[in-house]
Amino acid sequence: MILVTEQESVLDKTRSTLLCRLKDLDDSDAWREFFDLYWLFIFRIAIRKGLTEAEAEDVTQEAMIRVAKVMPGFQYSRKRGSFKNWLSQIVRNIIIDHYRKKKPSTVRLPDGENDVGMDDALIARHDLEQIWDEEWRRNLMNLALKSARKRVSLRELQIFHLHVFQEHSAKKTAEMVGVSVPRVYLAKLRAGRVFKQEYSKLKEAVS
């Protein structure tokens, strides 16, 4: 079952507008919106790079602190590169710092990586970019589902999530939710259309 909240959608504001609001460190609504957009995303990246949950929480907190320190004088310009790339460099540096603090015997390498050149093997830029893109797509899909809640019913979103994301058959989904099979296909069509619209709008807003 998916969890849907009534929080304000990030689709209501463009990326540049949100960044301008973040210049005001007292704008709690803007910072809450920014935190909701990025915290789980950053946390999952740290986990996938081999850090513990406690360390991943530290990475997330430190990333938020570093962003807050520079935002009052931050000038956003797409010509200079995306905000996502700038933030990814901050996260990468924090993860590297965590590994450098570890004793060699305590370093836990992610699957498929060896111990040759810590900075290159663990925090390789191309590797982090791949993880970053994968987790960002996951993050956008979750946010799009939350935004879609304003336009379709919770049950329709549950059906859509079970049938499309969890790949249950229409019959199994119908049994789990307690509806007919035709209702599953109808919900898939309706919720799917809204989800695609919200995902496209969100992707454009934060690109």
Side-chain angles (χ1 to χ4, degrees):
M1 179 182 297
I2 58 175
L3 298 178
V4 180
T5 67
E6 295 296 335
Q7 65 185 17
E8 181 181 14
S9 169
V10 294
L11 295 178
D12 295 337
K13 300 178 180 66
T14 63
R15 164 71 62 78
S16 58
T17 299
L18 176 59
L19 292 181
C20 287
R21 293 174 60 213
L22 292 179
K23 291 177 178 292
D24 181 2
L25 298 182
D26 293 326
D27 190 339
S28 58
D29 289 339
W31 280 100
R32 182 176 63 251
E33 186 176 335
F34 179 77
F35 182 82
D36 289 344
L37 179 61
Y38 283 106
W39 83 266
L40 184 58
F41 171 58
I42 296 173
F43 178 85
R44 287 183 57 85
I45 288 174
I47 290 293
R48 289 187 60 177
K49 292 310 300 178
L51 297 181
T52 65
E53 289 190 2
E55 291 167 338
E57 290 177 357
D58 290 341
V59 168
T60 304
Q61 180 177 343
E62 179 62 24
M64 294 295 170
I65 291 174
R66 293 192 187 185
V67 170
K69 286 181 178 179
V70 302
M71 284 314 299
F74 185 80
Q75 297 295 326
Y76 176 67
S77 173
R78 292 193 178 188
K79 294 181 179 179
R80 297 180 181 178
S82 69
F83 175 80
K84 185 179 70 171
N85 290 340
W86 176 75
L87 182 60
S88 70
Q89 185 59 47
I90 289 179
V91 174
R92 179 176 184 269
N93 290 340
I94 296 173
I95 294 175
I96 289 175
D97 289 343
H98 271 268
Y99 272 111
R100 286 175 175 168
K101 293 176 183 178
K102 285 173 173 279
K103 295 180 180 179
S105 60
T106 66
V107 173
R108 178 167 58 90
L109 293 174
D111 293 339
E113 295 182 345
N114 54 45
D115 59 357
V116 178
M118 181 178 294
D119 286 2
D120 292 333
L122 288 173
I123 323 293
R125 188 180 302 276
H126 70 277
D127 178 57
L128 183 60
E129 288 176 352
Q130 179 179 350
I131 293 176
W132 188 275
D133 289 340
E134 290 173 358
E135 290 300 329
W136 186 241
R137 284 193 294 271
R138 181 200 296 264
N139 200 46
L140 290 186
M141 287 191 291
N142 288 335
L143 291 169
L145 285 171
K146 292 178 181 179
S147 296
R149 175 65 180 87
K150 295 182 178 181
R151 300 173 57 189
V152 297
S153 69
L154 177 59
R155 170 163 288 192
E156 286 178 324
L157 280 181
Q158 290 172 339
I159 293 172
F160 177 73
H161 188 268
L162 289 170
H163 187 39
V164 176
F165 284 85
Q166 296 189 12
E167 299 182 341
H168 291 297
S169 67
K171 181 179 180 180
K172 179 64 175 179
T173 300
E175 293 174 352
M176 295 173 69
V177 182
V179 298
S180 64
V181 171
R183 178 69 182 276
V184 170
Y185 289 122
L186 180 61
K188 175 185 176 181
L189 177 64
R190 183 178 302 168
R193 180 172 59 248
V194 173
F195 170 78
K196 290 179 180 178
Q197 292 172 351
E198 296 295 338
Y199 182 84
S200 296
K201 288 164 58 180
L202 180 57
K203 186 176 181 180
E204 180 180 356
V206 299
S207 62

